[in-house]
Amino acid sequence: MCTTAPGQHDGVILFRGITFTREDMGVSDGFDLDGRVSDRGDAQTCRKADFTSSDGRMGIDNQISQLLPIIEEQTGGLRLDDVLQTAIDNGQLLIAIELLGVDDPMNDPCVTVRLRPVAGTPLLGTDGRVLPGQTFDLEPEGEVTTVEGATLTDGVLELGPAPVALPVQILDARFTLHVEDSRIRLVRADDGTWQGVLGGGISVDEMIMVAQGLTIPSDLMGAVMLVLRTYADLARDAEGDCQAISATLAVDGVTAFLYE
C-alpha cells in the first residue's frame, strides 16, 4: 500500500447533501460489495438478488433500498432523506473528507483520505443549499477514519474497501454508524463541486439502533427488527445467517476549510 505526506494541493470536501439511493425496477447505483452477481437462489447472499446500475454494471448491492419504503411507512411517511438534509442544514450532521498528500488535484495514484465530523452552522444560499468555501471547526469527540491508497483519476476520487465511521443525527438520536468494506466514488465537476456515492455494509444491530431513533411506535419495533434481519445480504455467518445490510448513499460535496 502506498503512503503519503501532505502536499500542496490538499483540500476539504464537505458533504452538503446525503440521500439514500433508491431502487427502481431493479436498477440502482452503487457498488458490487461482495464480488458476486447474485439472484434469489444465491445462499451466500441469503437469497437476495442484486441490482444493475444505470450504466449497466451488474451485481450492485443495495438492499437498504428495499427497506426504505417499509421503514418510512412506519414513521408516518417521514422521508429519511429529508431528516438527513435538515440535520445538515442545521449544522447537526456535517461530514468532511480531507485529501492529504495530493500532488495533482486531477490525477494522483496515491492519496490519503481522512473522513471526519466537523462543527459549525453553515450558511445557505438563495437555493437553500450549503454554500462552498466556508470554514468549520473540528468535532473534538468525533470518530475519525483515515484511509491510505485512494486514487484521483481525471478528477474522480475512489477509495476502498475500508471501514468508515459516519456520524448520524436522526431527530433526537445522535450516534456513529460503522460502514464496513466501504467504497467511495466522487466525481469533481468543473465548478469545484463533487457528486458521487458511498456504499458498504451496515450491521443489522446498528440498523436496529437507527430504527430506534425514529418515531416508530414501540408495538411495531419487533416487526421492524424482524424485517431488518430478513433483508440482510452480507457478512454470512457459520449458521448461514447474514449479519449486515448493503447500503448506498448519494452524496453532494462542496469545497470547505477546517479550523484546527
Side-chain angles (χ1 to χ4, degrees):
M1 178 181 295
C2 65
T3 57
T4 62
Q8 59 181 347
H9 294 293
D10 296 359
V12 176
I13 304 168
L14 178 80
F15 289 164
R16 70 172 177 181
I18 302 174
T19 58
F20 287 96
T21 299
R22 308 275 170 155
E23 173 266 340
D24 182 20
M25 301 295 290
V27 176
S28 173
D29 286 330
F31 300 90
D32 180 1
L33 299 173
D34 56 10
R36 303 176 65 87
V37 178
S38 303
D39 57 21
R40 294 189 182 278
D42 189 350
Q44 293 300 315
T45 60
C46 295
R47 295 176 171 79
K48 306 301 185 301
D50 290 339
F51 303 103
T52 301
S53 70
S54 57
D55 59 2
R57 289 176 292 113
M58 301 179 67
I60 302 300
D61 299 300
N62 187 22
Q63 284 299 313
I64 201 171
S65 65
Q66 304 281 71
L67 273 170
L68 292 175
I70 299 173
I71 294 176
E72 291 174 341
E73 181 180 355
Q74 300 302 324
T75 59
L78 176 68
R79 281 180 60 86
L80 297 183
D81 293 341
D82 295 337
V83 173
L84 293 176
Q85 191 60 55
T86 298
I88 291 172
D89 295 342
N90 291 341
Q92 297 173 307
L93 177 58
L94 298 177
I95 303 172
I97 285 183
E98 294 179 86
L99 305 179
L100 307 175
V102 180
D103 298 317
D104 184 318
M106 294 297 291
N107 292 280
D108 193 325
C110 183
V111 176
T112 295
V113 169
R114 191 157 57 201
L115 189 146
R116 68 190 312 153
V118 296
T121 302
L123 298 176
L124 308 182
T126 55
D127 59 355
R129 312 211 66 193
V130 175
L131 292 170
Q134 299 184 61
T135 300
F136 297 90
D137 295 319
L138 302 182
E139 182 63 62
E141 298 181 359
E143 188 170 340
V144 178
T145 300
T146 301
V147 181
E148 296 181 341
T151 62
L152 277 166
T153 306
D154 296 330
V156 179
L157 175 68
E158 294 186 275
L159 66 88
V164 167
L166 293 178
V168 176
Q169 172 85 28
I170 296 180
L171 302 179
D172 294 329
R174 190 181 183 94
F175 49 87
T176 299
L177 197 64
H178 297 89
V179 185
E180 299 300 322
D181 296 326
S182 297
R183 276 81 161 174
I184 295 177
R185 182 173 62 248
L186 296 176
V187 180
R188 185 182 186 275
D190 292 339
D191 62 0
T193 59
W194 298 77
Q195 284 79 38
V197 286
L198 184 158
I202 304 173
S203 75
V204 172
D205 290 339
E206 292 209 354
M207 283 300 302
I208 290 174
M209 183 170 60
V210 172
Q212 291 172 338
L214 301 172
T215 55
I216 298 176
S218 57
D219 58 333
L220 295 176
M221 271 305 302
V224 170
M225 292 167 63
L226 177 61
V227 169
L228 287 171
R229 297 193 183 281
T230 300
Y231 278 89
D233 63 321
L234 299 174
R236 187 168 178 260
D237 61 19
E239 285 72 38
D241 298 321
C242 291
Q243 300 298 324
I245 302 172
S246 57
T248 304
L249 298 171
V251 296
D252 172 23
V254 292
T255 57
F257 301 94
L258 299 181
Y259 179 77
E260 300 191 33

